[in-house]
Amino acid sequence: MALIRLKNVQYIYLEKTPLEREAIKDISLDIREGESIGIIGKTGSGKSTLIQLISGLLYPTQGEIFIKDRDIRKWNSKELCKIIGIVFQYPEHQFFAETVFEEVAFGPRNIGISDEKLENCVREALITVGLPYEEIKDRSPFNLSGGEKRRLAIASILAMNPEVLILDEPTANIDPKGKIEIMNYINRWVQSKNKTLILVSHDLDEIIKTVKRVIVLKEGKIIFDGLIEKLFLNYEKVEEAELELPEILKLRKVLEDKGYPLEGAFTLHEIVERIVAFKEHISIWKS
Ligand SMILES: Nc1ncnc2c1ncn2[C@@H]1O[C@H](COP(=O)(O)OP(=O)(O)OP(=O)(O)O)[C@@H](O)[C@H]1O
Ligand SMILES: [Mg+2]
């Protein structure tokens, strides 16, 4: 059983108005439990629209979406929140509570967690993203640093313990060290609890480190769905998607153009190993 199934989904914004715009075009897709999936594509390709459809925040204008074999329109929103948690791009813009504790407690309370369990749940969620519970719980969310705010927003979703975590650009506008920390916290949570992850990101290095399967959108359509290695070793597909190759794969392309046999090598480690082996081969041959 697919955890999430999209069948011929279309989404049109402002349908039947002069401003109507078809953002998602005939997308079919299965997501299984425990998968880690990246969604990439240039700006305006439909990534945020797609994840809002999967979360039940938008309903398809045509086609169907099933969550655990049940039409998404038939789920009530509280039940759906227990399955799918979505962290929006710049989620800190939506803070509303007076304290960090209340900000995190809102979601779990809303889906009916008992008062006895609430404190533990908030503490655990904050610790999961590296925020010290005692020091931070009574502070105002608005006075935190940028990186702390982002981590708080993620903790507010983790506190509901959803089966599927959807993140829309979770590290946008965070410094490089902070980016790595946030992704480490997320990966640890996903892996230790065997969760399903859907990550939208412009940072392809981050995508490569985090997911196995990648979906590439272009103008609202899927133009690639498969293993991430297969995508980045297919230069024409990367060009078609108008994606910028990650630095390591740019290096790979330069070396390949210079005649190094790198077929199948994908990570920095694999590329270095191939070069070393090639050099040894040449020096034996020369001597
Ligand atoms: N609320 C809206 N009303 C009308 N059109 C919209 C709305 N939101 C998005 N669109 C349009 O739908 C298309 C897909 O937008 P979407 O936000 O899903 O793209 P995206 O891939 O997430 O882009 P980005 O990388 O910039 O976040 C775009 O053409 C956009 O202009
Ligand atoms: Mg977007």
Side-chain angles (χ1 to χ4, degrees):
M1 175 182 83
L3 181 56
I4 299 167
R5 168 162 291 169
L6 277 70
K7 274 168 85 175
N8 307 104
V9 169
Q10 176 210 50
Y11 188 79
I12 302 180
Y13 284 104
L14 305 166
E15 200 177 12
K16 300 189 180 94
T17 75
L19 295 172
E20 78 170 19
R21 171 143 199 117
E22 190 178 7
I24 294 293
K25 298 172 188 161
D26 195 24
I27 285 190
S28 294
L29 178 66
D30 271 8
I31 296 175
R32 288 173 298 277
E33 200 181 324
E35 277 194 288
S36 283
I37 299 180
I39 299 181
I40 60 180
K42 72 172 201 171
T43 183
S45 57
K47 305 178 295 295
S48 296
T49 308
L50 180 60
I51 57 173
Q52 288 179 73
L53 286 161
I54 293 173
S55 314
L57 298 167
L58 300 173
Y59 288 144
T61 45
Q62 262 184 48
E64 292 159 301
I65 300 180
F66 297 92
I67 307 292
K68 297 192 174 183
D69 280 345
R70 186 172 177 203
D71 192 308
I72 199 160
R73 294 167 188 265
K74 299 209 171 117
W75 285 92
N76 81 45
S77 61
K78 281 189 186 168
E79 291 303 315
L80 201 54
C81 279
K82 292 184 192 166
I83 301 179
I84 297 177
I86 179 166
V87 181
F88 294 106
Q89 196 168 345
Y90 302 117
E92 56 275 14
H93 295 170
Q94 294 172 21
F95 287 161
F96 59 91
E98 282 182 16
T99 65
V100 165
F101 184 94
E102 286 304 317
E103 189 67 48
V104 180
F106 179 80
R109 218 181 248 142
N110 211 21
I111 58 171
I113 196 173
S114 66
D115 284 347
E116 305 91 76
K117 288 191 180 152
L118 186 63
E119 188 180 340
N120 226 358
C121 167
V122 172
R123 178 188 288 117
E124 213 176 280
L126 288 169
I127 291 171
T128 302
V129 297
L131 294 173
Y133 176 74
E134 291 298 339
E135 284 165 43
I136 211 165
K137 69 180 172 50
D138 298 321
R139 289 180 59 188
S140 161
F142 300 97
N143 297 338
L144 302 177
S145 74
E148 286 168 341
K149 279 184 184 161
R150 189 65 55 82
R151 287 191 271 164
L152 169 59
I154 295 168
S156 308
I157 300 300
L158 300 189
M160 288 190 279
N161 196 27
E163 293 175 36
V164 183
L165 178 64
I166 304 182
L167 300 157
D168 198 351
E169 301 280 356
T171 63
N173 276 11
I174 302 283
D175 66 89
K177 190 162 166 278
K179 274 182 196 242
I180 292 170
E181 277 176 15
I182 287 181
M183 287 316 298
N184 282 345
Y185 289 125
I186 290 169
N187 280 326
R188 232 174 279 153
W189 184 84
V190 167
Q191 277 159 21
S192 66
K193 295 184 172 246
N194 236 335
K195 302 288 188 180
T196 306
L197 175 73
I198 301 176
L199 172 66
V200 174
S201 179
H202 276 106
D203 186 333
L204 297 184
D205 288 308
E206 190 170 283
I207 290 273
I208 286 177
K209 280 189 214 146
T210 313
V211 308
K212 288 203 170 70
R213 174 179 169 194
V214 70
I215 290 166
V216 184
L217 293 183
K218 183 174 183 180
E219 292 161 10
K221 289 198 199 112
I222 294 182
I223 60 163
F224 180 91
D225 179 356
L227 289 176
I228 194 159
E229 290 96 312
K230 289 233 165 98
L231 171 69
F232 286 117
L233 298 177
N234 181 342
Y235 298 127
E236 287 98 66
K237 193 54 88 178
V238 172
E239 210 160 285
E240 183 192 344
E242 297 174 60
L243 296 169
E244 171 102 354
L245 271 181
E247 292 303 316
I248 181 64
L249 297 177
K250 279 187 199 156
L251 169 72
R252 182 188 186 282
K253 188 167 190 319
V254 171
L255 290 168
E256 211 174 32
D257 291 345
K258 287 191 185 297
Y260 282 87
L262 293 177
E263 205 171 296
F266 182 64
T267 62
L268 176 62
H269 183 72
E270 287 165 354
I271 292 169
V272 170
E273 282 206 325
R274 289 293 180 86
I275 295 170
V276 170
F278 185 69
K279 288 251 176 197
E280 279 168 4
H281 172 77
I282 294 290
S283 57
I284 291 167
W285 181 70
K286 274 186 181 161
S287 61

